[in-house]
Amino acid sequence: MTSLGVMPLASCVRQCTRSPGAQLGSYCRLHTSSISCTKDYYDVVVVGGGSAGITMGARMKRKVGAENVAIVEPSEKHYYQPLWTLVGAGAKRLPTSVRSTASVIPSGVKWIKSAVQGFEPDKNCIRISDNKKISYKYLIIALGIKLQYEKIKGLPEGFKYPKIGSNYSVHTVEKTWKAMQDFKRGNAIFTFPNTPVKCAGAPQKIMYLSEAYFQKTGKRAEANIIFNTSLGVIFGVKKYADALLEIIKNRNISVNYRQNLIEVRADKQEAVFENLDNPGETKVFQYEMLHVTPPMGPPDVLVNSPVADAAGWVDVDRETLQHTKYPNVFGIGDCTNLPTSKTVAARHSLEFLTKPYRWS
């Protein structure tokens, strides 16, 4: 997602940690309770070790000192997921997108190798595995977004079959490249789900890269490229939508709006879409290649938690990233309810969308 609010977040934490006893007003006042959790204790606890969490861990290290910061993250591997568009297009290899988590944790910052199990903001603590509690002065939630392939009938088991891939998962991104290579003739279908997604441009990026690859390999004349999107527009910002529609027209790409993927019959190479303007009405598409952008939602631990809104996203102020109820809790990244695109590249240009990659 965009960096909107990162500076106010860092500024607020810096002010509060420098003057813990000062009367700074409601903007920086701690949410206190007579009940506090037992140690471990850190001035700043960051939950999540993705791009947002690692970034904030490094910023907080500079503000309050490495020994006062902890990052809670269970995974041994850290993936730079924006690169997976190029991995799925055969322009990069998957190993180039991975580092050990230990190598990206800011030096001196405590890595708590565990998943968060619950939030207790009234007690200024979180629960991790073995029911252990970690106390904090400030909490930054950066848990990302959850992929929900299982909401599509026939997935994720359908990925065992050829001709289908998804750039959104480490387990399926290389299958996209294999499907591109194996393509002969027929429909190449690219989907966009009826949920929030991280990097809303990525479903189109792989489509344009596939089209360019088919051109290069002499397969384009036999390819019917289709973009089936649950949205009513090609892109949410009109300026870019107008430019993209010109590209779509020039490249002879078919777009079907308000079409949501609800089932994949991978053994038959069939994809079933529901017409969102007429619920219950479905259409079956035969495919030679299918790229699935999965439904997505908030991580399970956030749903119905004290720090989440009714939809399960961390409830923050759009200007400061400060929680609307707990002043010493902040959220950043895809897990928040900010009205921004859920991508670390949200503020970058769309040049990559309009200029296809040149294969060597």
Side-chain angles (χ1 to χ4, degrees):
M1 58 155 278
T2 155
S3 59
L4 175 71
V6 171
M7 288 304 295
L9 184 159
S11 176
C12 181
V13 173
R14 180 175 67 251
Q15 281 186 306
C16 293
T17 51
R18 282 180 177 174
S19 306
Q23 297 296 318
L24 296 175
S26 60
Y27 181 76
C28 289
R29 189 178 302 121
L30 275 169
H31 180 88
T32 57
S33 169
S34 58
I35 304 174
S36 62
C37 294
T38 58
K39 294 285 187 179
D40 293 334
Y41 169 85
Y42 298 89
D43 281 354
V44 180
V45 171
V46 181
V47 178
S51 295
I54 294 299
T55 299
M56 291 313 304
R59 292 178 73 97
M60 293 302 104
K61 170 188 171 179
R62 294 196 295 269
K63 303 302 179 186
V64 302
E67 70 280 6
N68 299 313
V69 181
I71 296 176
V72 180
E73 168 57 47
S75 177
E76 294 272 0
K77 295 180 179 180
H78 175 94
Y79 291 98
Y80 182 68
Q81 296 180 36
L83 196 63
W84 288 352
T85 292
L86 294 179
V87 173
K92 294 289 184 180
R93 295 180 61 250
L94 184 60
T96 63
S97 71
V98 63
R99 299 284 187 275
S100 68
T101 299
S103 72
V104 298
I105 296 288
S107 61
V109 168
K110 175 68 175 179
W111 175 24
I112 300 174
K113 192 164 57 176
S114 177
V116 63
Q117 303 292 325
F119 296 90
E120 298 183 16
D122 289 301
K123 300 178 182 179
N124 298 318
C125 68
I126 60 170
R127 297 192 312 278
I128 59 172
S129 57
D130 298 327
N131 209 32
K132 184 178 180 180
K133 293 184 177 182
I134 306 295
S135 299
Y136 57 80
K137 189 173 186 179
Y138 297 94
L139 175 69
I140 300 175
I141 304 172
L143 284 172
I145 196 168
K146 180 186 177 183
L147 306 181
Q148 299 175 325
Y149 287 104
E150 70 280 358
K151 288 194 172 183
I152 300 171
K153 186 178 179 181
L155 295 183
E157 59 271 21
F159 286 114
K160 294 183 295 185
Y161 291 84
K163 312 290 187 180
I164 176 175
S166 175
N167 289 354
Y168 279 86
S169 169
V170 66
H171 304 295
T172 58
V173 60
E174 291 175 305
K175 287 182 61 64
T176 303
W177 173 229
K178 185 67 165 62
M180 284 174 61
Q181 291 176 295
D182 292 346
F183 185 91
K184 293 180 175 62
R185 63 182 61 86
N187 291 335
I189 302 175
F190 303 83
T191 74
F192 191 102
N194 189 30
T195 66
V197 301
K198 57 179 173 179
C199 195
Q204 288 187 62
K205 292 176 188 178
I206 187 59
M207 176 175 67
Y208 300 132
L209 287 167
S210 297
E211 193 272 344
Y213 178 76
F214 295 155
Q215 289 278 9
K216 180 178 176 64
T217 55
K219 301 176 182 179
R220 182 63 182 93
E222 301 295 329
N224 180 28
I225 298 178
I226 301 170
F227 187 55
N228 280 359
T229 174
S230 65
L231 303 178
V233 293
I234 194 66
F235 200 78
V237 181
K238 187 179 186 303
K239 172 185 174 182
Y240 299 130
D242 291 343
L244 291 171
L245 286 173
E246 282 298 313
I247 295 167
I248 285 168
K249 179 181 177 181
N250 293 338
R251 299 190 188 182
N252 193 28
I253 294 171
S254 300
V255 180
N256 297 308
Y257 298 104
R258 303 291 290 160
Q259 297 294 313
N260 187 45
L261 181 65
I262 60 171
E263 182 180 359
V264 174
R265 302 166 184 166
D267 56 334
K268 300 178 181 179
Q269 291 177 216
E270 293 178 346
V272 183
F273 292 84
E274 181 180 24
N275 181 353
L276 295 177
D277 290 330
N278 189 15
E281 177 186 310
T282 61
K283 184 175 181 179
V284 178
F285 287 75
Q286 196 78 28
Y287 64 83
E288 172 69 3
M289 173 185 175
L290 176 65
H291 178 267
V292 177
T293 302
M296 303 180 201
D300 292 341
V301 71
L302 287 177
V303 178
N304 298 320
S305 74
V307 296
D309 65 10
W313 307 103
V314 181
D315 194 7
V316 297
D317 180 275
R318 62 185 295 173
E319 300 295 334
T320 65
L321 305 187
Q322 189 174 28
H323 197 274
T324 58
K325 181 179 178 182
Y326 302 102
N328 62 327
V329 175
F330 296 82
I332 190 170
D334 296 346
C335 66
T336 66
N337 61 0
L338 292 173
T340 59
S341 297
K342 293 183 179 295
T343 168
V344 74
R347 294 179 65 188
H348 290 200
S349 75
L350 292 184
E351 181 180 11
F352 182 68
L353 287 176
T354 58
K355 295 185 178 179
Y357 186 84
R358 301 299 180 188
W359 285 265
S360 57

